[in-house]
Amino acid sequence: MQLSLAGSGAMYVCDWGSFALLRDNVQHYLEGGAPSWRFPALHAVESVVDGGPRQVDAARLRGEVLRAWSALWPVDVESAAISLRTRAVLTGCRELPEARDTVTAKSAGWELPLSAADLTPVPRAAGDFVAIVLALTEPSVDGDMLQVCALGARPIRGEQIASSSIASRGAP
């Protein structure tokens, strides 16, 4: 599955896994395992898996992604978390769980939504989503919106979602 993000006259597509990796680790490490009021735009992007397109505040999403980029840098893929909802999507579950919990993928024996070397920092592994959000929202001001939608079907059990490129650690 892929995410389409459009705004300010441009549209980009990225693998859903790069978004899911970032969001799940925000939820696990920065929000104590459950979505909170601290990252509402990032969690709004998740809702496109449940239904149709969604409008997300561009400036707010930019700020949240920049905070996540900075705060999650010490977390590497070996320590990365995965949410129960992401796991359900990856295994082809028709109904997503209501529970919003997260676990470290390694402790549960679960695969992450994309492949990356164990010592890769989570923000770098989620680089496709991060780079797209930052490119689309650079000129954003309060009130600007991004249109976000899911493209393609949910992955089928065993299907691997891979990131098409990895952003470098340089300035986000």
Side-chain angles (χ1 to χ4, degrees):
M1 178 171 36
Q2 295 183 311
L3 287 179
S4 166
L5 294 98
S8 56
M11 183 194 79
Y12 294 95
V13 175
C14 70
D15 286 324
W16 167 83
S18 67
F19 157 74
L21 182 68
L22 185 71
R23 191 201 65 85
D24 289 355
N25 283 279
V26 162
Q27 182 176 321
H28 188 79
Y29 288 103
L30 306 180
E31 298 180 298
S36 75
W37 56 270
R38 294 179 59 209
F39 292 88
L42 196 60
H43 293 298
V45 172
E46 177 203 14
S47 68
V48 301
V49 172
D50 296 329
R54 180 81 191 232
Q55 295 245 333
V56 178
D57 183 293
R60 180 178 296 251
L61 183 61
R62 180 181 183 83
E64 291 175 14
V65 166
L66 287 170
R67 283 196 325 264
W69 173 271
S70 177
L72 291 174
W73 201 259
V75 180
D76 57 39
V77 169
E78 183 176 28
S79 304
I82 185 169
S83 71
L84 301 179
R85 289 174 60 84
T86 296
R87 173 69 177 168
V89 169
L90 291 174
T91 59
C93 186
R94 294 203 189 281
E95 290 189 36
L96 298 179
E98 300 273 332
R100 307 301 275 199
D101 299 329
T102 59
V103 297
T104 58
K106 187 175 182 178
S107 68
W110 293 349
E111 290 185 31
L112 293 171
L114 58 85
S115 297
D118 284 351
L119 298 179
T120 302
V122 164
R124 181 176 289 158
D128 284 352
F129 176 74
V130 171
I132 286 170
V133 167
L134 295 180
L136 278 173
T137 61
E138 184 176 17
S140 296
V141 296
D142 286 343
D144 286 351
M145 302 298 277
L146 291 182
Q147 179 82 14
V148 183
C149 65
L151 301 174
R154 291 186 190 164
I156 299 169
R157 184 181 305 267
E159 180 179 339
Q160 180 139 1
I161 298 174
S163 177
S164 61
S165 67
I166 304 296
S168 66
R169 167 117 203 240

